[in-house]
Amino acid sequence: MAENFKLDLTQRPRRLRRTPALRALVEETVLRPADFIAPLFVVDGKSKPEEIKSMPGVFRLNIADLVKECRAIYKLGVPAVALFPKLDPKLKDDEGTQALNEETLVLRAVRAVKKAVPELVVITDVALDPYTSHGHDGVLNTARDDVENDRTVGILAKMAVMQARAGVDLVAPSDMMDGRVGAIRQALDSAGCAGTGIMAYSAKYNSAYYGPFREAVGSAQAAGTKLLSKATYQMNPANRREAVLEAHLDAIEGADILMVKPAGAYLDIIREVRNTTQKPVAAYQVSGEYSQIHAAARLGWLDLARTRHESLVAIKRAGADMILTYFAKEMAALFKG
Ligand code: PBG
C-alpha cells in the first residue's frame, strides 16, 4: 500500500527546489557587501589590537590600525563604518565632559579615517555612555535617579555638530532621549551642516544582548555592574506598537535612516517599521548576537558560517536595507574569495 501511494497534486512547490540552479532562480533575498556597516572600536595610544574577550575576532584598535582596517573594509566593498571609542576610565566623569572636547578620541579617529579613506561613509554614535563614569547615555538627575532628558539633548546636539565638523557622513543618536533627533537636526542646520545625515536608533530596546559591547567600551564596568539598567530610556522588549511610534517621531523630526536594535530577536519590529515608512531602515545585529553564534560554534554546537549567513539573511528578509554587524568584513571577504 505505502509503496504505490500517489497524491494527485497540481501544486508541488518542491519542483523549484530540485537543483541549485532552480533554487538560485527563485531566491528572494541575497546578501551583498554593500548591505553592511562595520562597527569598530577605537582606543588611544599605540598598543597592539586587543581582542574583546566575549567577541572573538573583534579588536579595539589604535587610530593607526583603525585607519588600516577602514581601508581594508572599504576595499572589500563595505561602504560604511560606525566608530565607538573606548576611553581611559580616568577621562570619565558624571557629566561625560570629554564628549565635548574637540580633541576627544573619536573626533581624532574620524579625522584620520576621513583623511585616509574619504569615500568611506563614517558614522558616529551620539550618546554619552562612553564618557560617563556611571555608563548611562545621558547626564543624571541624582535626586530623581534618572537621566535628565532635556539637558542631555542639549549636550548631544553639540556633540553631533562636533562630529559633523570632524567629517562624519551620518550621526547616529543611540541614547533614546525624547526629542533628540529634532534638536540634532536643528543644531546641524544652524551650524551649516545641512548635508550631514541622521541615522536614528529609533527602536532601541533595553536588551541583554548589549552585554559584550559594554565590556568593549567599558560602560558596564564604569557603572560597577554588568546589569546597568537603561529601562527608563531604552524600550521595553515586550512592546511593538511603541516601536512604530518611535520610528514615526524620529522620521518627522528629521531622521534620514531609521534603525531597529537589536536585530535577530526583533525581526517583527524590523518588518513593522519597514511597512510604515518610506525611509531606509537599518538593523543592528548587536554584540550579544555575534557572541552567541561564536560561543555555540566554539562548543561545536552550531556551524559558524551557516549560522552567520542565516542570521543576516533573516534580518534582510525582515526588511532591513542595511545591517550593522560585527561580521561585516568577513561576510564581504566571502565575495572576493
Ligand atoms: C550606547 C550603545 C550601545 C550599543 C551601541 N551604542 C549599548 C548600550 O545601550 O548600552 C550596543 C551595541 C552592541 O551591543 O553591539 N549608546
Side-chain angles (χ1 to χ4, degrees):
M1 170 65 198
E3 302 88 80
N4 41 31
F5 187 77
K6 276 258 177 224
L7 291 169
D8 181 16
L9 288 183
T10 309
Q11 301 297 333
R12 288 186 183 268
R14 288 187 54 219
R15 277 181 205 125
L16 297 181
R17 295 180 206 136
R18 198 167 49 82
T19 69
L22 279 165
R23 291 196 292 274
L25 271 180
V26 299
E27 184 159 86
E28 299 176 36
T29 310
V30 184
L31 295 169
R32 50 179 194 137
D35 292 329
F36 302 121
I37 298 170
L40 297 172
F41 298 107
V42 59
V43 283
D44 245 319
K46 293 203 159 45
S47 54
K48 290 223 162 60
E50 357 167 54
E51 193 164 19
I52 294 147
K53 265 210 313 285
S54 51
M55 301 179 74
V58 177
F59 297 83
R60 299 187 195 100
L61 303 171
N62 65 40
I63 292 182
D65 289 334
L66 174 77
V67 167
K68 279 190 213 141
E69 183 69 0
C70 286
R71 249 197 219 107
I73 284 174
Y74 187 69
K75 247 176 125 175
L76 288 169
V78 174
V81 296
L83 304 183
F84 296 96
K86 159 114 180 16
L87 248 65
D88 180 342
K90 287 200 292 287
L91 293 174
K92 300 185 184 193
D93 58 31
D94 282 359
E95 293 282 304
T97 40
Q98 281 305 310
L100 297 183
N101 179 340
E102 277 296 342
E103 288 307 312
T104 194
L105 172 60
V106 81
L107 297 179
R108 282 182 280 122
V110 168
R111 289 182 208 117
V113 171
K114 268 294 173 187
K115 190 164 160 207
V117 205
E119 309 84 357
L120 180 69
V121 173
V122 175
I123 305 169
T124 41
D125 242 40
V126 186
L128 292 179
D129 56 299
Y131 306 97
T132 52
S133 40
H134 42 72
H136 279 288
D137 291 34
V139 289
L140 300 183
N141 177 329
T142 39
R144 281 194 292 116
D145 196 26
D146 190 12
V147 291
E148 271 196 301
N149 191 94
D150 298 12
R151 200 156 71 82
T152 298
V153 170
I155 299 170
L156 298 179
K158 284 192 192 151
M159 216 177 147
V161 169
M162 292 169 74
Q163 294 173 349
R165 288 188 171 142
V168 303
D169 299 273
L170 299 169
V171 295
S174 67
D175 57 296
M176 289 301 279
M177 297 302 124
D178 293 333
R180 90 279 204 212
V181 171
I184 289 171
R185 183 69 271 155
Q186 222 175 1
L188 289 173
D189 292 350
S190 354
C193 303
T196 307
I198 300 177
M199 172 188 269
Y201 287 73
S202 297
K204 178 173 179 179
Y205 286 88
N206 180 28
S207 173
Y209 287 98
Y210 306 150
F213 174 95
R214 291 180 187 168
E215 178 200 329
V217 303
S219 61
Q221 284 88 335
T225 167
K226 285 224 155 200
L227 301 170
L228 180 63
S229 175
K230 300 193 175 189
T232 69
Y233 42 104
Q234 298 180 349
M235 282 180 50
N236 181 345
N239 293 359
R240 183 162 61 177
R241 289 195 314 262
E242 193 184 347
V244 176
L245 171 68
E246 283 283 7
H248 176 68
L249 290 174
D250 286 356
I252 56 181
E253 285 178 35
D256 300 284
I257 298 171
L258 306 173
M259 194 206 295
V260 174
K261 176 186 176 188
Y266 296 83
L267 297 178
D268 58 325
I269 308 299
I270 296 172
R271 171 51 51 186
E272 195 87 42
V273 172
R274 168 73 291 150
N275 287 346
T276 52
T277 180
Q278 300 306 319
K279 302 222 179 198
V281 175
Y284 197 146
Q285 182 182 52
V286 301
S287 56
E289 300 180 69
Y290 178 88
S291 299
Q292 68 181 1
I293 291 173
H294 268 283
R298 277 196 175 182
L299 286 165
W301 293 353
L302 287 177
D303 179 83
L304 177 71
R306 290 191 59 199
T307 313
R308 180 180 65 196
H309 184 271
E310 189 174 329
S311 69
L312 292 164
V313 100
I315 293 166
K316 187 166 179 184
R317 188 196 64 228
D321 298 293
M322 63 199 90
I323 306 171
L324 292 99
T325 172
Y326 301 95
F327 291 125
K329 187 184 182 188
E330 61 197 77
M331 285 302 294
L334 296 177
F335 292 82
K336 297 275 161 168

